[in-house]
Amino acid sequence: MTASDRTDRAAPPRLGRATLHRLPHECRPAIDPDALRTRVVHFGLGAFHRAHQAVWTEQAAARSGEPWGITAVAPRSPAAAGALREQDLLYSFTERRPDGAATRVVAALTGALVMTEDAARVDALLADPEVTVVTLTVTEKGYHRLAGRDPREGPVLDRAAPAIAADLERTTTGAGAGIGAGSSAERLSTVVGRLAAGLAARMRSGAAPLTVVSCDNMADNGAVLGAAVRDFIAASGWPDRRTVLDRMATAVAFPGTVVDRIVPATTDTDLARAAKALGQRDTAAVTGEPYRSWVLEDSFAAPRPPWELDGALFVPDTTPYQLTKLRLLNGCHSALAYLGSAAGRTTVAEALDTDWGAPLVRGLCAELAPTLPPGGPDPVAYAAELVTRFRNPAMDHQLRQIATDGSLKLPERWLPALRTLRAAGTPTPLLEVALAGWVYATHPDRQAADPAAATLADCWRGHPEPTGTVRALLTALGAADLADDTALTGAVAARLPALRAGRIDV
């Protein structure tokens, strides 16, 4: 055996088009990547997109014979785009089933760009009439939304946010106004700004209509995104901004959507398992649970992939599905994250493997159910399905990952329902224990990553008395009305000693 032979055995080949024929049959993609061309642009090159919308789009292309390819744009880090380009835009998805795992390669991507470095190419795609859909998974932070602002009640975009203010300033000098904008330091750096510039260029060119689809976990996500983009254009320095907005009113749609699939962060163990299944190295591998769903408002302005061929649901109004997902699934996830961490657990499955985990999920869903509009999933059946999903032993969903950015998530997941229930005089014991879990987790010694970390820490330093801390934290969330509810703040504060002892009382 030569040294070269030994090296080849030690290091399997890198996944790529040249090695597709060497994959086990069950691991091969559903479609020939050469059959696709870019018809969708996606902002946000994270694991969730690769495990959700990209899989759906690949299946839609394979089942329809239409060439629906995706060029994905990384808003910040070039690492993900670079890793995918090194693999000819291929990656694997592993479905973590309770009885084992199934791995296959996904061939949905036709491009991987970095938003600032490849700004001219991104703008060209947004103006391309072949591109008829734009999708986004940029998390709540990517929208730079004014706290709690309803898109029906005035401007949504926080124009004073430093990144947005800087981008708006660039529009007054012409940089970022379209294709070929300046140096990388001068280019628009926010997704909202980049998307606004691309849509403005498309409107100026008279290109075909376009649909922009938010896939982030926010109530009214389509309306919020549409309002943020329009707010940016209205505040820009572009002299034709009014004409652009008038054309967008009929040429660009922002439907609401509800996405659901638990996708944990990829670990070294996941990469090793993917390599074993494929016989090839895949540095862009992702994993997720078997369950998935996608509900979309049926209000597209242009052709779209036939996602319904793979089970997507198109409805006149996504609100009932959206609020069920936000309040029940996401709300329970947050509760498990904070309470499970206080009890010394590290994953969702570990939190469910307690005497309080399943009762918390079922009870919290029952408590929240009266706040949901009619027309959505049955809350009791939904709660039972959540317990099954959360118990999946193959999932390794880290509680600390779920606990990040609580100051942005909780105003969507808990607070509107809490207001509704308390205004009706309905007891809220499980929301109170969940809120106590978050309060406990905001202590500077225990805090997860959060854009308001410094403000939350100050709430503890400035208010040593527990009820005062609770009031200050609720005020920091933009919930001064709940902070003034003395019965609520007292009940939450009364839960803290048990949490300090690692005891969860449900």
Side-chain angles (χ1 to χ4, degrees):
M1 181 184 295
T2 67
S4 176
D5 290 335
R6 286 192 295 272
T7 300
D8 288 343
R9 286 193 177 187
R14 182 77 171 261
L15 177 63
R17 293 195 184 193
T19 59
L20 278 178
H21 69 285
R22 299 170 61 175
L23 290 170
H25 182 75
E26 66 274 12
C27 295
R28 295 179 184 178
I31 194 167
D32 178 358
D34 289 331
L36 302 176
R37 61 181 188 268
T38 298
R39 298 186 68 184
V40 178
V41 171
H42 179 82
F43 285 91
L45 196 45
F48 184 82
H49 168 66
R50 284 178 278 148
H52 192 276
Q53 299 92 20
V55 172
W56 239 294
T57 303
E58 181 202 42
Q59 290 295 316
R63 297 182 186 198
S64 67
E66 300 170 1
W68 289 101
I70 304 168
T71 288
V73 180
R76 292 175 297 277
S77 171
L84 284 162
R85 287 195 293 257
E86 289 177 4
Q87 298 181 175
D88 300 326
L89 306 172
L90 301 171
Y91 66 92
S92 66
F93 171 69
T94 297
E95 193 173 275
R96 296 187 183 186
R97 303 169 180 170
D99 57 350
T103 300
R104 74 169 186 86
V105 171
V106 179
L109 300 182
T110 49
L113 305 177
V114 181
M115 192 175 72
T116 51
E117 295 176 7
D118 301 310
R121 295 174 64 188
V122 173
D123 282 344
L125 285 171
L126 292 176
D128 185 349
E130 278 260 296
V131 172
T132 57
V133 177
V134 175
T135 54
L136 295 88
T137 50
V138 296
T139 76
E140 296 94 332
K141 289 184 290 189
Y143 294 78
H144 298 279
R145 181 184 183 181
L146 286 166
R149 182 59 60 87
D150 187 320
R152 294 162 294 189
E153 297 177 356
V156 162
L157 185 67
D158 184 0
R159 300 177 186 180
I164 292 293
D167 272 3
L168 287 171
E169 176 63 25
R170 292 177 183 118
T171 68
T172 65
T173 63
I179 298 170
S183 67
S184 60
E186 297 172 328
R187 291 176 183 144
L188 300 171
S189 65
T190 65
V191 171
V192 170
R194 183 81 273 143
L195 181 57
L199 292 178
R202 191 178 182 101
M203 297 302 100
R204 294 178 188 121
S205 70
L210 181 77
T211 304
V212 186
V213 185
S214 169
C215 299
D216 285 297
N217 286 319
M218 296 187 301
D220 300 316
N221 55 5
V224 169
L225 175 59
V229 170
R230 288 188 290 267
D231 289 349
F232 186 94
I233 294 171
S236 73
W238 301 326
D240 62 345
R241 56 189 177 273
R242 179 46 55 190
T243 300
V244 167
L245 288 170
D246 288 344
R247 290 176 180 169
M248 281 179 57
T250 57
V252 183
F254 295 90
T257 67
V258 186
V259 297
D260 192 2
R261 178 171 237 170
I262 297 171
V263 180
T266 303
T267 66
D268 289 341
T269 300
D270 294 326
L271 296 178
R273 287 174 179 164
K276 183 177 180 181
L278 302 173
Q280 302 179 29
R281 288 180 295 124
D282 177 10
T283 60
V286 293
T287 72
E289 66 171 334
Y291 179 92
R292 62 182 177 130
S293 74
W294 196 2
V295 184
L296 302 99
E297 181 185 350
D298 196 5
S299 61
F300 281 62
R304 59 165 178 79
W307 290 308
E308 66 271 22
L309 295 180
D310 198 33
L313 181 63
F314 287 83
V315 299
D317 181 11
T318 60
T319 302
Y321 299 88
Q322 195 174 63
L323 289 179
T324 298
K325 199 270 179 137
L326 275 170
R327 294 184 182 177
L328 302 194
L329 185 145
N330 298 132
C332 286
H333 250 168
S334 289
L336 289 168
Y338 301 121
L339 297 172
S341 296
R345 307 290 168 148
T346 60
T347 68
V348 172
E350 288 178 4
L352 263 288
D353 188 26
T354 61
D355 59 359
W356 56 265
L360 172 70
V361 172
R362 291 194 178 95
L364 188 55
C365 287
E367 190 168 297
L368 291 165
T371 73
L372 299 175
D378 174 64
V380 175
Y382 194 91
E385 188 172 52
L386 287 182
V387 170
T388 300
R389 293 171 63 187
F390 291 168
R391 275 183 169 153
N392 183 348
M395 298 297 290
D396 188 32
H397 203 181
Q398 298 290 308
L399 298 177
R400 188 162 185 83
Q401 178 190 1
I402 300 167
T404 61
D405 299 338
S407 67
L408 297 177
K409 295 174 180 176
L410 300 195
E412 292 274 352
R413 299 180 180 187
W414 294 350
L415 302 192
L418 188 59
R419 290 187 176 100
T420 298
L421 293 170
R422 297 195 71 80
T426 304
T428 55
L430 292 177
L431 279 169
E432 290 162 14
V433 71
L435 193 54
W438 173 74
V439 168
Y440 180 73
T442 61
H443 190 279
D445 293 342
R446 295 181 288 270
Q447 201 175 112
D450 195 295
T455 299
L456 301 179
D458 286 344
C459 293
W460 283 87
R461 299 188 186 101
H463 302 86
E465 189 268 324
T467 303
T469 301
V470 174
R471 284 199 299 268
L473 287 166
L474 285 170
T475 301
L477 289 185
D481 56 326
L482 295 175
D484 289 338
D485 184 338
T486 56
L488 172 66
T489 56
V492 171
R495 299 275 192 172
L496 295 176
L499 294 178
R500 281 193 287 270
R503 188 176 72 252
I504 310 302
D505 294 328
V506 174

